[in-house]
Amino acid sequence: MRRAAAARERLLMLYLTATDPLTSGLPDLVPMLAEAGMDVLELGIPTPNAAPRGAEIGRSFARCGQVELGRVWRELAELRRRSPSLPIVLLIYPETIADVGWPTLLDESVRAGVDGLVLTEPDEAGMALVHSAGLDMIPVIRPGLGDEAARRCEDHATNLTYRTLGSKTGEELDDTAIMRRVADVESTASKPFIAGFGIRYESEVRLLAPHVAGVVIGSEFLRLIAEVDQDKLLIRAVELVQSWKAATVLGS
């Protein structure tokens, strides 16, 4: 965070799903994405009852099939081993907590070297548990949550909140809708925030950069790399990250 601010750039957070065969079979992928400019890796956990609303994330979960959770934790530990300084956060749905349980989720996250949790439906008890485990707490704050509830989330956030631009991941938004949402957030936010849900193009990243601490891109990344042959996936993935990261630099 401090490095990005000093360089007049914003954070680029990229989403992947743990054990997704599209990406997890490429051991060099995450280190290469970090080298290309990915500042933070966000990982989803494909538990049996988790059902993402966005189409691309849903397809990513479906590709994983019925995954034994031990494999997820082993993959996390290997990612940490290969990228020791890369911030890694987990995207946590209410169904994730129901499937895994708070004790196991927190213990395995700490053991694997995860840095923080992104709670899609944050409540005070859950946010307190994340803090008690020594993990960064990143609450998702959606449009219409209400000022008081949003303020409680900000109070529990370690450094950042995650503000959604659309109602689901992968939603197509025009520039006017994006900036209207960001203006609403800026008028009330008391902590820096990253923006996600619906970011696709370099132009959108560049438009957002002066107003946010960072951007999250997931659905568009998964969609674009799924379109290329496996032997070209690494090259395409690096090109995408480089282009999005360049757009986070203020004045680019």
Side-chain angles (χ1 to χ4, degrees), residues 129-165:
L129 284 171
V130 175
H131 278 299
S132 70
L135 297 167
D136 283 358
M137 174 63 238
I138 307 174
V140 173
I141 302 178
R142 301 174 186 271
L145 180 62
D147 291 344
E148 184 176 344
R151 195 172 301 111
R152 286 198 298 271
C153 287
E154 287 188 308
D155 289 342
H156 282 282
T158 304
N159 294 303
L160 300 165
T161 65
Y162 184 140
R163 300 284 186 149
T164 63
L165 302 177

Side-chain angles (χ1 to χ4, degrees), residues 164-168 170-183 196-201 203-205 207-208:
T164 63
L165 302 177
S167 60
K168 59 184 179 181
E171 182 176 351
E172 292 194 41
L173 303 169
D174 60 29
D175 290 354
T176 301
I178 288 173
M179 292 313 297
R180 184 184 300 119
R181 168 61 175 153
V182 170
F197 283 41
I199 301 172
R200 293 171 176 263
Y201 308 116
S203 60
E204 294 172 343
V205 177
L207 185 69
L208 285 163

Side-chain angles (χ1 to χ4, degrees), residues 56-238:
E56 290 297 335
I57 308 300
R59 278 190 278 270
S60 178
F61 272 49
R63 284 193 295 266
C64 298
Q66 295 296 316
V67 177
E68 191 265 318
L69 278 172
R71 182 183 166 196
V72 174
W73 309 131
R74 290 192 296 273
E75 183 171 301
L76 286 174
E78 179 62 14
L79 284 173
R80 171 53 69 218
R81 187 188 70 79
R82 292 180 62 85
S83 300
S85 61
L86 175 69
I88 299 173
V89 299
L90 301 183
L91 179 65
I92 304 300
Y93 299 98
E95 296 85 359
T96 316
I97 299 165
D99 287 340
V100 179
W102 272 118
T104 298
L105 176 61
L106 296 174
D107 288 348
E108 295 293 349
S109 295
V110 171
R111 186 175 294 113
V114 168
D115 295 282
L117 302 185
V118 177
L119 297 191
T120 62
E121 299 291 341
D123 60 72
E124 299 218 25
M127 290 188 287
L129 284 171
V130 175
H131 278 299
S132 70
L135 297 167
D136 283 358
M137 174 63 238
I138 307 174
V140 173
I141 302 178
R142 301 174 186 271
L145 180 62
D147 291 344
E148 184 176 344
R151 195 172 301 111
R152 286 198 298 271
C153 287
E154 287 188 308
D155 289 342
H156 282 282
T158 304
N159 294 303
L160 300 165
T161 65
Y162 184 140
R163 300 284 186 149
T164 63
L165 302 177
S167 60
K168 59 184 179 181
T169 59
E171 182 176 351
E172 292 194 41
L173 303 169
D174 60 29
D175 290 354
T176 301
I178 288 173
M179 292 313 297
R180 184 184 300 119
R181 168 61 175 153
V182 170
D184 288 343
V185 174
E186 282 189 302
S187 67
T188 58
S190 63
K191 275 190 175 172
F193 60 93
I194 51 176
F197 283 41
I199 301 172
R200 293 171 176 263
Y201 308 116
E202 290 175 62
S203 60
E204 294 172 343
V205 177
R206 194 169 290 111
L207 185 69
L208 285 163
H211 306 278
V212 301
V215 296
V216 187
I217 303 179
S219 294
E220 184 70 354
F221 180 71
L222 292 172
R223 184 183 73 81
L224 291 172
I225 63 172
E227 293 177 346
V228 302
D229 294 336
Q230 190 76 359
D231 62 339
K232 298 177 181 176
L233 192 152
L234 280 173
I235 294 172
R236 180 61 170 145
V238 166

